Amino acid sequence: MATKRETPLLDELMTGPWPSFVKEIKLSADDGKDAASDLLGVLEKSYNERIGHWKHGGIVGVMGYGGGVIGRYNDLPEEFPAVAHFHTIRVNQPSGWFYTADVLRKICDIWDKHGSGITNMHGSTGDMVLLGCNTDALEPVFAELTEIGFDLGGSGSDMRTPSCCCGEARCEWACYDTMAACHDITMHFQDELHRPAFPYKWKFKFSGCSNDCVASIARSDCSVIGTWSDDIQVDDAAIKEYADGKQVDIAQDVVRLCPTGCISFDGSKLAIDNADCVRCMHCINVMPKALAPGKERGATILIGAKAPIIGGALLASVMVPFLPMEAPYDDLKELAEAIWDLWGEHGKNRERVGEFIQRIGLGNFLEQIGLEPTPEMVAHPRTNPYIFFELGEEDGEE
Amino acid sequence: MSANVDDVAGDMFDMVKEYHGKKNLKALDLSKAMIIKYGAEECDKKLCKLAIRQLIDSGKCTYSYVGGSYIVLPPDS
């Protein structure tokens, strides 16, 4: 029977209208899980003392892998012995997070047997997160997970577990098969996923359109966002239905809110200047029956986002405006490898690729990885009025 | 000087031993050192990757995380 602990501060977190992790951990403690009870104890203590009692890192993992396990230790092992070791295991999620109920039961059974039974579905990288086990439990958990077809995800200075939106499986706006691309990249870069060899973490995220349901532009070093290169498909009859049915105030909710002002509406017909369209998806989101992405579909590749907890968030910048996304995705793989080579050679320890680009300059970065500059790469107007020309450039020399 | 996986893995292991307790080495540090030692024509990044894999799979070295991922000697060695 797990120790019953008084947790007045944590109990406050159960009083709001939102679901509370405290309630779930308490249910687990009531089921006799010592780790859950000690977890509540150490957290309540931290809230009282305003001091964290966790250390993380160290030498902990499964044989052959450098990622997938995040070592966590409690600095009060005598007071909270059931969470003296409380390692986190990241499990590579299926593309699009599709599971059968049967496989979820099996994963939970493994975790109930060897770990705390507490899970986080899913972590911000996308993995299934199994929270809290002893060092001795790591190999058995890994063995049983692989038996049912699962593998560990990434952690540390490696390629983190790629993730994607549900794409064509459930979404008519997906401009490429995100799940196939995510799976292919995951399988192709297994070495990079399991054996950390980068200056710091690298994340791939695949979104089927610029609604960006996996927030790739904000969270991933390599963001692959579906787009189209031809014109938005317009169904004039459906536009008229929207207008006649007063379902949408087209002038107010679509035309006025177009970020580039490329749409006009005369009361019955919508006109789009596709050359000025930035594929933001707003008009399509508002009138899904009348508008759809174009037929020539692919993806925009953006590089350099990061969303750290403390500060220094960066949005990704366009590197390749349009790339057809067909298996085996060789262009994407070659681009990633070219960036890894350069970043690996010259990146500082714990320097994300976005920071690396800021440090060496976009021009140098592009030159080194062999990409031609394009207008889409311009993030904002330059603030420095001086322009440096290479010697001889004015004479037309190389 | 020609290089094979065993030689490179052996040299990497010696390097990890030499720096043990003094400096944590990343996979990249080991690879760069081997490329300098053997020359890029004899020892490329692919060979270094294989050597690191051999080092880790044999249990002679292991990964650690101290604000970044490093290759170190196992705790019981």
Side-chain angles (χ1 to χ4, degrees):
Chain A
M1 181 68 188
T3 311
K4 186 93 179 162
R5 295 181 182 278
E6 293 299 315
T7 55
L9 292 179
L10 287 178
D11 292 349
E12 286 291 313
L13 297 175
M14 295 197 294
T15 58
W18 50 83
S20 170
F21 69 96
V22 177
K23 180 183 159 196
E24 299 303 323
I25 299 175
K26 284 200 167 200
L27 284 172
S28 191
D30 290 345
D31 276 349
K33 284 278 186 188
D34 291 329
S37 174
D38 278 5
L39 183 60
L40 290 167
V42 76
L43 199 52
E44 182 73 17
K45 193 176 181 75
S46 285
Y47 279 25
N48 269 310
E49 297 177 343
R50 301 186 182 193
I51 293 172
H53 287 287
W54 297 105
K55 302 177 280 185
H56 97 285
I59 302 174
V60 61
V62 300
M63 186 68 179
Y65 281 26
V69 177
I70 297 99
R72 291 192 198 285
Y73 301 91
N74 183 348
D75 66 1
L76 301 167
E78 286 164 10
E79 195 175 345
F80 303 105
V83 292
H85 294 193
F86 202 70
H87 307 317
T88 295
I89 298 181
R90 290 198 181 132
V91 182
N92 194 330
Q93 80 283 8
S95 286
W97 298 286
F98 286 94
Y99 301 94
T100 63
D102 180 51
V103 87
L104 283 176
R105 281 190 200 99
K106 284 178 179 164
I107 290 165
C108 290
D109 286 346
I110 292 169
W111 198 232
D112 269 335
K113 182 175 158 192
H114 297 287
S116 70
I118 300 168
T119 64
N120 172 9
M121 305 284 274
H122 294 81
S124 58
T125 298
D127 311 80
M128 274 181 276
V129 181
L130 308 181
L131 289 161
C133 72
N134 278 313
T135 305
D136 293 345
L138 292 171
E139 289 291 350
V141 170
F142 179 52
E144 290 184 32
L145 284 171
T146 50
E147 231 169 75
I148 59 168
F150 281 85
D151 195 1
L152 299 191
S155 68
S157 309
D158 67 6
M159 183 186 85
R160 299 300 181 82
T161 318
S163 75
C164 64
C165 68
C166 60
E168 291 175 350
R170 294 190 67 198
C171 181
E172 65 201 272
W173 293 331
C175 292
Y176 69 97
D177 189 344
T178 53
M179 292 171 57
C182 183
H183 181 73
D184 186 286
I185 291 292
T186 304
M187 300 310 288
H188 184 78
F189 291 123
Q190 281 287 293
D191 200 74
E192 285 75 8
L193 176 59
H194 296 308
R195 296 175 189 86
F198 296 151
Y200 201 21
K201 64 182 90 167
W202 169 281
K203 298 179 180 182
F204 274 112
K205 289 193 191 296
F206 298 87
S207 284
C209 73
S210 53
N211 283 328
D212 198 8
C213 291
V214 287
S216 66
I217 198 170
R219 309 192 67 93
S220 61
D221 302 270
C222 182
S223 166
V224 184
I225 300 181
T227 191
W228 60 95
S229 61
D230 56 347
D231 296 347
I232 291 180
Q233 299 183 71
V234 183
D235 180 339
D236 289 330
I239 293 279
K240 196 166 180 324
E241 268 179 44
Y242 273 109
D244 293 348
K246 311 280 185 209
Q247 299 165 38
V248 175
D249 183 340
I250 295 177
Q252 193 68 13
D253 300 336
V254 178
V255 176
R256 191 180 65 87
L257 295 179
C258 174
T260 57
C262 72
I263 303 176
S264 57
F265 182 61
D266 65 5
S268 63
K269 195 166 170 55
L270 195 78
I272 302 175
D273 180 355
N274 281 277
D276 280 346
C277 171
V278 289
R279 279 72 173 157
C280 75
M281 294 289 293
H282 174 72
C283 57
I284 299 174
N285 291 335
V286 178
M287 299 191 293
K289 291 176 189 165
L291 301 173
K295 290 179 177 169
E296 287 171 25
R297 298 180 178 191
T300 299
I301 314 298
L302 303 95
I303 300 290
K306 67 188 184 98
I309 297 167
I310 298 169
L314 285 175
L315 286 180
S317 303
V318 172
M319 286 293 141
V320 182
F322 185 81
L323 187 68
M325 286 294 287
E326 301 292 336
Y329 313 104
D330 285 338
D331 289 341
L332 179 59
K333 289 169 186 169
E334 280 169 24
L335 176 67
E337 283 170 335
I339 295 173
W340 291 342
D341 275 349
L342 180 67
W343 177 48
E345 188 74 26
H346 301 288
K348 293 179 182 175
N349 191 27
R350 290 174 68 83
E351 182 177 47
R352 294 286 284 271
V353 76
E355 297 165 309
F356 174 67
I357 294 170
Q358 283 187 329
R359 179 164 63 84
I360 68 166
L362 183 62
N364 290 328
F365 179 77
L366 294 175
E367 195 178 325
Q368 292 298 316
I369 62 170
L371 274 185
E372 285 295 316
T374 65
E376 288 89 344
M377 294 172 182
V378 177
H380 54 79
R382 66 191 167 87
T383 52
N384 185 334
Y386 296 102
I387 298 171
F388 292 94
F389 289 99
E390 296 291 334
L391 280 178
E393 201 168 78
E394 285 180 26
D395 302 327
E397 294 170 15
E398 284 299 314
Chain B
M1 192 191 299
S2 67
N4 61 48
V5 180
D6 294 337
D7 293 340
V8 176
D11 286 342
M12 284 179 169
F13 180 64
D14 290 342
M15 200 174 156
V16 173
K17 260 202 315 194
E18 187 189 332
Y19 280 87
H20 180 65
K22 297 171 196 157
K23 186 189 174 194
N24 284 325
L25 297 171
K26 301 196 89 162
L28 275 166
D29 298 326
L30 295 173
S31 300
K32 281 181 189 171
M34 293 303 115
I35 291 169
I36 289 169
K37 177 172 180 175
Y38 289 98
E41 284 183 6
E42 292 296 332
C43 178
D44 60 8
K45 287 177 180 169
K46 207 172 167 186
L47 183 65
C48 291
K49 253 187 187 180
L50 291 171
I52 289 170
R53 189 169 180 170
Q54 187 188 93
L55 265 188
I56 299 293
D57 288 350
S58 67
K60 288 174 82 177
C61 288
T62 188
Y63 287 102
S64 78
Y65 182 86
V66 195
S69 299
Y70 297 94
I71 293 176
V72 297
L73 297 177
D76 52 356
S77 63

